[in-house]
Amino acid sequence: MRIGILTSGGDCPGLNAVIRGAVLKGDRVYGHEFVGFKWGWKGVVEGDMIPLDRHRVRGLSKEGGTILGSSRTNPYESGGGPENIQRMLDRNGIDAIIAIGGEGTLTAARRLSDDGLRIVGVPKTIDNDLQATDYSFGFDTAVGIAVDAIDRLRTTAESHRRCMVVEVMGRYVGWIALHAGMAGGAHAILIPEVPQSIERVCEWVESVRDRGRAPVVVVSEGFHLDGMDGAHSHKGLDPFGRPLLGGIADIIAPMIEERTGIESRATVIGHIQRGGAPSAYDRVLATRFGLAAIDAVTEEKWGTMVALRGTEVVSASITDATRRLNAVPRHRYDEAALLFG
Ligand code: F6P
């Protein structure tokens, strides 16, 4: 078979390891050939691709970013659509597509698959917001980077007896905040699934101060305080029409300072969480996803994606994965909240 691979949506560490795993197994075990579409679905729509052989993917598992580039292009727009894409695939002798991406990418992949295209998905979400897979690569790396930042902020906070408000990624779900906050010993964790009042946050902060410690609050970018309409956004919309997030820490820190008198600072970690080399865990998971994706293509499991269940990589329906978000269950938040304050 001749297979085209694409990476689409926001990037995350581990994308290159998926590509390497798929190409190496596809070449060695099945004798498949590969091309890589440039810039996500844009490359599929425009027929923009590069050859991918085993030499091109050498040493890639430790490399951040994606050698194929990524974009948030919708394959049903800008001259795309199933007929045009199928024509491009036929013209280039491409039998199947591996689409590596998050909720938007996989929803498009499912639609194209329903329209007859031969597609297998690989879930990619730094936020860990996809159903049907326990974890995806990139999440562990992001948590590690956030924990490192929290550890560093804690020492400077203690020196100045300040409150630090640390903002991490997490548009709709608070997994990064929950795990990074727990690992970093945060005194409060604020996530999109559980709005809180500023009074409650200040109670936690004051109780930490009263023990002579410097409070650390970890907040997801998608969190909103009681009374806010939704997540804070002041930067406009992304190409999918979603609000660009970021900045809730800058809202909360001055509120804490005003109400408690504790000098407070905000830090937004932002895209640092998505950059650089993947953790060892993510390299392994991403490589296993790549290996499993090439099995799924060979077995013609169109409309499915690879997924992690426990420690096993299995096949899951893309429809199931994209039906609803993988929110933090309330009991997981309550468990962490026992240690707040
Ligand atoms: O969806 C993953 C994510 O990293 C979100 O956590 C964040 O809101 C968004 O992407 C940022 O997107 P962009 O890279 O387009 O600014």
Side-chain angles (χ1 to χ4, degrees), residues 3-332:
I3 299 156
I5 302 181
L6 67 100
T7 54
S8 171
D11 75 337
C12 78
L15 289 167
N16 284 326
V18 178
I19 297 168
R20 173 177 169 274
V23 170
L24 289 185
K25 183 166 186 182
D27 172 81
R28 259 191 210 179
V29 178
Y30 300 116
H32 295 321
E33 282 175 27
F34 292 88
V35 294
F37 293 110
K38 298 289 290 173
W39 314 114
W41 292 114
K42 188 168 187 293
V44 177
V45 171
E46 295 175 1
D48 183 9
M49 65 195 88
I50 55 168
L52 275 184
D53 61 19
R54 50 178 306 119
H55 300 294
R56 184 65 191 84
V57 301
R58 198 160 49 193
L60 269 192
S61 65
K62 64 181 184 315
E63 303 294 338
T66 161
I67 57 163
L68 300 177
S70 191
S71 69
R72 296 193 194 271
T73 303
N74 184 336
Y76 278 83
E77 288 169 6
S78 316
E83 291 85 17
N84 286 340
I85 292 175
Q86 189 58 58
R87 264 197 294 278
M88 183 282 298
L89 295 175
D90 292 343
R91 230 179 11 253
N92 290 283
I94 298 169
D95 303 294
I97 293 176
I98 295 177
I100 312 170
E103 191 261 337
T105 305
L106 293 175
T107 302
R110 180 191 40 76
R111 231 179 120 188
L112 289 169
S113 167
D114 290 346
D115 285 336
L117 269 70
R118 294 148 57 103
I119 302 183
V120 162
V122 175
K124 170 239 53 146
T125 156
I126 206 152
D127 293 355
N128 203 36
D129 58 1
L130 276 172
Q131 278 287 337
T133 186
D134 290 350
Y135 288 102
S136 181
F137 57 90
F139 172 69
D140 181 70
T141 307
V143 169
I145 291 166
V147 171
D148 181 55
I150 293 166
D151 290 349
R152 288 170 191 279
L153 288 166
R154 184 186 290 285
T155 64
T156 168
E158 296 284 358
S159 306
H160 295 272
R161 293 182 160 193
R162 283 175 175 156
C163 169
M164 291 295 182
V165 182
V166 190
E167 181 178 312
V168 298
M169 281 188 166
R171 169 173 286 275
Y172 304 115
V173 303
W175 286 108
I176 296 179
L178 185 79
H179 280 221
M182 259 189 139
H187 301 107
I189 300 171
L190 308 176
I191 64 174
E193 295 90 331
V194 188
Q196 299 281 3
S197 67
I198 190 65
E199 289 75 24
R200 187 77 188 96
V201 176
C202 289
E203 279 168 24
W204 285 319
V205 165
E206 282 175 330
S207 96
V208 178
R209 186 263 320 269
D210 293 347
R211 289 201 313 276
R213 302 282 312 281
V216 175
V217 176
V218 176
V219 58
S220 304
E221 60 182 359
F223 167 79
H224 62 278
L225 287 164
D226 282 347
M228 284 172 68
D229 280 347
H232 170 72
S233 169
H234 64 282
K235 301 175 191 164
L237 304 176
D238 74 9
F240 279 122
R242 304 180 313 174
L244 286 162
L245 302 185
I248 183 69
D250 290 304
I251 307 267
I252 291 175
M255 286 174 129
I256 292 174
E257 182 164 313
E258 192 191 318
R259 284 171 170 74
T260 65
I262 304 169
E263 200 184 356
S264 301
R265 295 285 188 270
T267 301
V268 180
I269 310 180
H271 288 79
I272 294 172
Q273 290 159 99
R274 288 198 346 215
S279 66
Y281 177 89
D282 281 340
R283 293 181 204 188
V284 172
L285 180 58
T287 302
R288 293 182 72 206
F289 274 1
L291 300 174
I294 211 62
D295 290 339
V297 167
T298 310
E299 291 162 26
E300 306 199 351
K301 291 180 169 172
W302 314 127
T304 68
M305 65 166 213
V306 300
L308 183 71
R309 296 272 165 77
T311 56
E312 293 304 309
V313 177
V314 299
S315 223
S317 127
I318 297 183
T319 309
D320 290 347
T322 51
R323 194 170 284 137
R324 63 193 162 89
L325 286 168
N326 177 32
V328 173
R330 186 62 202 226
H331 72 272
R332 286 291 314 272

